[in-house]
Amino acid sequence: MPQDGFKCKQCGNCCLNLDGHASCASEADVRRWEAAGRTDILEWVDPVDFGDHWEYNIWINPRTEDDVSRCPWLRKLPGKEKYVCRIQEVKPDLCRNYPLSRKHAEETGCPGFGG
């Protein structure tokens, strides 16, 4: 869970720049999306079998199979400098838990601990 004192500013920074903090979905995420029939989300997931475990790389463009630099589920609010998540109810655990710390927020450009 986000740290005490954190308040999302809806700036979109964490979703516009995925480098360094958004790379894998959890097993629970994948099961949640499967149970909800969210094939639209699952097509952006690349499961990798390591023999003894699976990893689920996200957001992989289903057409090009390339990593994307911004979240495909992020939408800018019309006429505002704010963004919303189109999969808020089922977003990945790594997004639910962002940022991991004040330091993590600072390193990734998140203003959520500011005044």
Side-chain angles (χ1 to χ4, degrees), residues 11-53:
C11 68
N13 184 65
C14 58
C15 303
L16 289 167
N17 179 15
L18 297 178
D19 295 336
H21 66 273
S23 60
C24 288
S26 69
E27 180 82 22
D29 292 328
V30 172
R31 299 297 160 245
R32 183 169 55 251
W33 298 330
E34 288 173 342
R38 295 300 303 260
T39 55
D40 58 329
I41 299 172
L42 290 165
E43 69 182 10
W44 288 82
V45 177
D46 181 27
V48 180
D49 183 358
F50 284 93
D52 61 340
H53 73 283

